[in-house]
Amino acid sequence: TGLGWILSMDNRKNELVSSLRSTAVLVTNQFQCERLIQAGRSVADISKTDLIVLNVQSNEYPANPEAIQYLFNIATQNNALMNVMYAEDSFKTIVKYIKDNKTAYVVTGMPQTKNSILHRIWRKFAHVTFFTVDETGTLHEVTDKSVYQKTASH
């Protein structure tokens, strides 16, 4: 199973990128991921890293092109690069992306279940700082790599 194809959408102003490390925001194809991008912008500003928004599309969730376009617009407003990747194995694709992009910080939503892909990603990287964002948009550093949202409200 290859990585499929990569569509890179970049509307940032032409500027030299000096940092070697990045902040990645992992988004699904849901409109409410806007708060994750905004929280990621805060982390990137504080850490002086580039902001990259990553969405991995797979057969696991139905396509939602309207939400992807909306999130692309939010990423653009927050001076972020957005990558939409198509892959059969989301876990391997995200892990490779974090490694390849020298990612220092990763921002996600709250895991919805005990066996969320996020727990596997968190345990894979000791050198990356992970943050979750709750429904109010508040950032929380991940210190317990098995935490999940027991009362999930979509």
Side-chain angles (χ1 to χ4, degrees), residues 8-19 22 41 49-52 72 75-82:
S8 182
M9 300 183 283
D10 188 356
N11 262 2
R12 295 182 300 176
K13 296 169 188 67
N14 290 330
E15 56 190 39
L16 290 172
V17 178
S18 60
S19 69
S22 64
R41 178 76 265 158
T49 54
D50 295 321
L51 182 60
I52 301 170
F72 171 69
T76 300
Q77 290 168 18
N78 284 276
N79 195 27
L81 170 72
M82 181 166 175

Side-chain angles (χ1 to χ4, degrees), residues 68-84:
I68 295 299
Q69 181 61 51
Y70 175 76
L71 294 173
F72 171 69
N73 294 341
I74 298 300
T76 300
Q77 290 168 18
N78 284 276
N79 195 27
L81 170 72
M82 181 166 175
N83 286 308
V84 179

Side-chain angles (χ1 to χ4, degrees), residues 5 7 24 29 37 42-44 51-52 54 84-85 100 113 116 119 124 130 132-134 139 149-151 154:
W5 57 278
L7 171 64
N29 59 356
I37 297 170
S42 297
V43 172
L51 182 60
I52 301 170
L54 176 64
V84 179
M85 302 175 81
D100 291 352
T113 62
S116 169
H119 297 117
K124 186 87 175 160
F130 292 93
T132 58
V133 182
D134 63 23
L139 271 167
Q149 187 170 335
K150 292 170 181 73
T151 55
H154 295 273

Side-chain angles (χ1 to χ4, degrees), residues 3-9 53-58 68 82-88 90 92-94 96-98 100-101:
L3 287 180
W5 57 278
I6 300 172
L7 171 64
S8 182
M9 300 183 283
V53 178
L54 176 64
N55 172 265
V56 178
Q57 296 282 306
S58 69
I68 295 299
M82 181 166 175
N83 286 308
V84 179
M85 302 175 81
Y86 295 82
E88 289 180 33
S90 297
K92 282 185 181 175
T93 302
I94 293 168
K96 182 175 179 358
Y97 192 88
I98 290 171
D100 291 352
N101 287 279

